[in-house]
């Protein structure tokens, strides 16, 4: 019984890992292709009984064509492209202190973990600063402190006299 449970758990984890890999390939190579991104080819892997003819042979053919230096017969996967999108637009992210070129890259940056973490950190610092400012301005002893300690101009005059 525990063997069956273990096999099912392994299948679930494997499926999750495959979905994660597909998502990574899509985001890295297909959604934002750059000049150094290799072509990505899709193969039909749903039927395990036809593995050799639907996966192995086409994959070997693609690899052999690259090794021999000519174009494979299979067409690479292309993501739909919006013609109105500007690939050379210039965006400056003041939060992350980065320059982003291209509308698609900018949209991806705005959604990225690093940008969202920087934004959260900035908001936290700003709210801490505001609360500190408010607590200082509300404090009744705040107005008395400069008189008791002496104003900065008064301290400078004392220093000049003692020199």
């Amino acid at each position: 019984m525990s063997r069956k449970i273990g096999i099912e758990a392994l299948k679930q984890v494997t499926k999750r890992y495959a979905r994660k890999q597909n998502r990574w390939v899509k985001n890295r190579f297909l959604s934002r292709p750059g000049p150094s991104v290799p072509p990505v080819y899709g193969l039909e892997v749903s039927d395990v009984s036809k593995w050799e003819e639907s996966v192995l042979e086409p994959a070997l053919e693609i690899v052999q064509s690259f090794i021999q230096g000519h174009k494979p017969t299979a067409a690479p996967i292309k993501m739909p492209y919006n013609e109105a999108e500007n690939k050379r637009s210039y965006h400056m992210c003041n939060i992350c202190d980065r320059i982003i070129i291209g509308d698609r890259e900018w949209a991806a940056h705005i959604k990225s973990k690093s940008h969202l973490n920087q934004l959260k950190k900035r908001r936290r610092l700003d709210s801490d600063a505001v609360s500190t400012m408010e607590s200082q301005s509300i404090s009744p002893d705040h107005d008395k402190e400069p008189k008791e300690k002496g104003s900065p101009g008064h301290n400078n005059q004392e220093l000049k006299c003692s020199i």
Side-chain angles (χ1 to χ4, degrees), residues 27 37 47 58 71 87 93 98 106 109 112-113 136 138 145 152 158 160:
N27 289 334
V37 173
D47 190 4
K71 194 173 183 177
K87 288 184 178 180
C93 181
R98 290 182 60 191
W106 176 250
H109 172 74
S112 71
K113 278 185 181 179
Q136 287 178 353
I138 294 173
E145 287 179 19
E158 287 179 5
K160 288 179 184 176

Side-chain angles (χ1 to χ4, degrees), residues 68-135:
Q68 294 170 356
H70 50 77
K71 194 173 183 177
T73 56
I77 298 173
K78 297 282 184 191
M79 290 293 284
Y81 175 68
N82 184 359
E83 293 296 326
E85 189 175 272
N86 188 353
K87 288 184 178 180
R88 297 187 177 161
S89 62
Y90 176 91
H91 302 276
M92 177 67 187
C93 181
N94 295 326
I95 294 169
C96 302
D97 196 30
R98 290 182 60 191
I99 297 171
I100 312 292
I101 298 176
D103 291 342
R104 189 176 289 188
E105 283 76 11
W106 176 250
H109 172 74
I110 295 298
K111 295 177 185 175
S112 71
K113 278 185 181 179
S114 62
H115 177 78
L116 294 175
N117 285 338
Q118 290 287 340
L119 187 61
K120 193 184 296 184
K121 194 182 295 183
R122 177 76 54 97
R123 285 181 180 157
R124 195 178 320 118
L125 288 172
D126 288 347
S127 68
D128 289 348
V130 167
S131 63
T132 304
M133 296 282 283
E134 287 175 352
S135 67

Side-chain angles (χ1 to χ4, degrees), residues 49-69:
S49 64
K50 297 180 182 178
W51 176 261
E52 284 192 22
E53 60 207 37
S54 63
V55 178
L56 183 63
E57 290 173 8
L60 290 174
E61 183 181 315
I62 292 168
V63 171
Q64 282 296 327
S65 64
F66 274 113
I67 291 172
Q68 294 170 356

